[in-house]
Amino acid sequence: MIDQLFEFVQNHPVLVAAFLAVLTAWLLYELRNANAGGVTPNEATLLVNREDAVILDIRDKNDFKAGHIAGARNVPQSSLDDRMAELDKFKSKPIVVVCKHGQSSGAVQAKLKKAGFERVLKLKGGMTQWQADSLPIVKK
């Protein structure tokens, strides 16, 4: 099988080079965007303590009740557009967007920035990382 791979590479060098270029570009794009506008759980804690940051939990109500960061506001991602007015009073404060794994918070981050919020950050790793770091959660 390895012999066939080497034969393919020898017979199609342009195709292989194009594939490697696209793969490299994609990896660089993903790495750059994964860290853009994100904070670790410890950095989020410092933002709350020092700059009175707002924690915006975008998970659904059941996940929120099962455990959330103390003081977090729950606005599910599905109802964000309808409830955006509730957040207007926090436009000048830092907002840390929290989701389950840190993947869907980027879309909300972009939406809030477009709506005029000055400083919107996402929690890297979401609640999964928060709990993995053994940080406290509140259950209601």
Side-chain angles (χ1 to χ4, degrees), residues 28 46 106 115 131:
L28 289 174
L46 289 175
Q131 291 172 321

Side-chain angles (χ1 to χ4, degrees), residues 93-132:
K93 290 186 177 187
I95 296 178
V96 180
V97 182
V98 179
C99 64
K100 190 169 188 171
H101 299 289
Q103 296 173 341
S104 57
S105 55
V108 172
Q109 177 188 22
K111 189 179 284 190
L112 290 173
K113 282 185 177 182
K114 190 174 181 180
F117 289 83
E118 294 175 13
R119 210 164 145 210
V120 185
L121 307 155
K122 61 184 177 183
L123 182 65
K124 292 179 185 175
M127 280 302 294
T128 304
Q129 186 62 50
W130 184 274
Q131 291 172 321

Side-chain angles (χ1 to χ4, degrees), residues 39-50 55 123 130 135:
V39 293
T40 64
N42 290 331
E43 292 168 337
T45 303
L46 289 175
L47 279 171
V48 170
N49 291 337
R50 293 182 181 167
I55 303 293
L123 182 65
W130 184 274
L135 293 169

Side-chain angles (χ1 to χ4, degrees), residues 6-112:
F6 286 130
E7 183 180 344
F8 181 84
V9 170
Q10 288 174 347
N11 291 335
H12 306 287
V14 175
L15 185 61
V16 171
F19 170 74
L20 291 175
V22 169
L23 180 65
T24 302
W26 177 70
L27 288 173
L28 289 174
Y29 174 79
E30 287 295 321
L31 287 172
R32 195 177 87 219
N33 286 341
N35 295 323
V39 293
T40 64
N42 290 331
E43 292 168 337
T45 303
L46 289 175
L47 279 171
V48 170
N49 291 337
R50 293 182 181 167
E51 299 181 41
D52 198 27
V54 175
I55 303 293
L56 178 63
D57 195 321
I58 60 169
R59 299 175 301 149
D60 65 42
K61 190 163 64 169
N62 292 332
D63 287 340
F64 184 78
K65 285 183 179 180
H68 59 272
I69 299 169
R73 298 180 179 276
N74 183 230
V75 178
Q77 186 174 3
S78 59
S79 62
L80 181 66
D81 292 333
D82 299 333
R83 296 179 59 188
M84 189 75 79
E86 293 177 31
L87 302 174
D88 282 342
K89 59 186 170 190
F90 304 117
K91 279 195 172 185
S92 62
K93 290 186 177 187
I95 296 178
V96 180
V97 182
V98 179
C99 64
K100 190 169 188 171
H101 299 289
Q103 296 173 341
S104 57
S105 55
V108 172
Q109 177 188 22
K111 189 179 284 190
L112 290 173

